[in-house]
């Protein structure tokens, strides 16, 4: 029996490939005009008119789409940087950083922003925003140790309320480094704080929390997270995943109920979901519903018309005691394979239906095709069919072949003894009637 409890879990549902952001949303860079105005009111080195005009020119070129010209203008400024103060140099590198970032040259962007925070005499707001941007860039560049380093630097100088992104980034970086317990601490913090303020956690936070609990082998906590995700976001995959987790923690009735609820909402549409629900039906003894669901899937073209699925329907119908309906599915499956396993099952179904001629034919065909997983079963079926057709010698011969297999040795011996007795009785009866 397939382990239905794990089936929905093993379908890549908990691979958190989407945990890390693919696009970094950086704090908007400080424009040259804003920086120039700040130096008039704050205690930072002055951004002199001459440098301001040169940076403004480079900024305009880049903003107008001529990135090459903008970089050349910055290079020209850099050549004379020995005469510039800390704030002017920082602003130059700040603009380098955003040009490189916009061009998706993350390594160069990181190097430029590191040069910004390396300058001592810059506004704390610029140092904070740039350090946080460095953490975001390092995350996008898969440099997870650097993410943590930058966030620790940011934490050491921050005096204001810690934003949600801080906790999420620390959690994401630790997740990627497989520091799952540390990662869980940060993502739980932001979720708990949000919920305490009657807020709604973001979906990607719960995706990460779920992945962490799963990585830490805490299925009950995974289930609790998925319960939230179902309530808050009502997505088909979350319903199916929740059903799978209920199976994982031994709540099979809840598993079935959740899957049924998902089906009623029209969420069970994909091949994977249909097959998972069919197997859950089978696990819960609802074999006829399993067969009908798979039949509908075949008819709609969502479920592949292949031997494996044909046999699943057939076996479901057999368990539902709908043997007549199972025959056509076994026949379709047998036509698509070279081995005789499905003819063997047909022989057994025919015997149940007392269709002994058909059973004997199916058993012989199974043996002729070969490649049987349990060859002895085909001989047993053939022996039983021949016995019921009163072909005692053929029956004994078939059981003698079955006797050669360890799996069926004992039952074959019993049948041989029984058939010989019946043969003798039949012959005696015939003699008495003559």
């Amino acid at each position: 029996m397939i382990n239905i409890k794990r089936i929905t879990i093993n379908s890549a549902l908990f691979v958190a490939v989407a945990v890390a952001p693919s696009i970094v949303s950086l704090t908007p860079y400080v424009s040259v005009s804003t920086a120039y105005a700040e130096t008039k009111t704050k205690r930072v080195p002055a951004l002199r008119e001459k440098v301001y005009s040169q940076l403004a020119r480079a900024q305009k070129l880049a903003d107008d789409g001529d990135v090459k010209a903008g970089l050349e203008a910055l290079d020209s400024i850099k050549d004379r940087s020995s005469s510039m103060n800390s704030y002017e140099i920082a602003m130059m590198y700040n603009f380098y950083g955003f040009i490189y970032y916009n061009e998706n040259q993350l390594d160069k962007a990181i190097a430029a922003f590191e040069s910004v925070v390396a300058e001592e005499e810059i506004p704390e707001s610029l140092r904070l925003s740039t350090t946080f941007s460095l953490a975001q860039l390092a995350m996008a560049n898969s440099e997870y140790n650097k993410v943590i380093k930058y966030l620790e630097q940011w934490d050491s100088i921050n005096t204001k309320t810690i934003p949600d992104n801080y906790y999420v980034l620390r959690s994401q970086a630790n997740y990627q480094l497989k520091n799952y317990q540390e990662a869980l601490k940060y993502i739980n913090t932001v979720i708990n704080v949000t919920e305490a303020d009657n807020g709604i956690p973001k979906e990607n936070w719960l995706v990460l929390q779920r992945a962490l609990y799963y990585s830490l082998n805490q299925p009950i906590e995974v289930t609790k997270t998925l319960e939230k995700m179902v309530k808050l976001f009502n997505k088909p995959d979350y319903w199916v995943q929740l059903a799978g987790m209920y199976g994982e923690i031994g709540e099979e009735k809840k598993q079935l109920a959740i899957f049924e609820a998902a089906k009623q909402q029209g969420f069970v549409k994909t091949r994977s979901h249909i097959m998972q629900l069919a197997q859950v039906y089978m696990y819960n003894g609802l074999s006829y519903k399993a067969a009908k669901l798979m039949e509908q899937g075949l008819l709609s073209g969502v479920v592949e018309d292949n031997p494996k699925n044909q046999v699943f329907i057939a076996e479901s119908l057999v368990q539902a005691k709908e043997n007549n309906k199972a025959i056509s599915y076994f026949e379709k499956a047998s036509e698509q394979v070279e081995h005789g396993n499905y003819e063997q099952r047909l022989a057994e179904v025919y015997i149940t239906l007392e269709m002994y001629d058909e059973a004997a034919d199916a058993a012989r065909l199974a043996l002729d095709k070969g490649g049987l997983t349990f060859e002895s079963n085909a001989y047993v079926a053939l022996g039983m069919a021949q016995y019921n057709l009163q072909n005692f010698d053929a029956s004994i011969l078939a059981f003698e072949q079955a006797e050669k297999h360890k799996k069926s040795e004992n039952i074959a011996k019993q049948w041989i003894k029984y058939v010989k007795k019946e043969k003798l009785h039949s012959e005696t009866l015939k003699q008495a009637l003559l």
Side-chain angles (χ1 to χ4, degrees), residues 332-344:
K332 290 175 186 176
S334 66
E335 291 170 0
Q336 300 175 55
V337 296
E338 295 182 1
H339 60 74
N341 286 308
Y342 302 147
E343 280 84 359
Q344 175 201 308

Side-chain angles (χ1 to χ4, degrees), residues 282-297:
M282 287 288 286
Y283 183 81
N284 285 274
L286 303 172
S287 50
Y288 189 73
K289 291 189 75 170
K292 295 304 293 182
L293 180 65
M294 287 292 284
E295 283 179 333
Q296 292 166 5

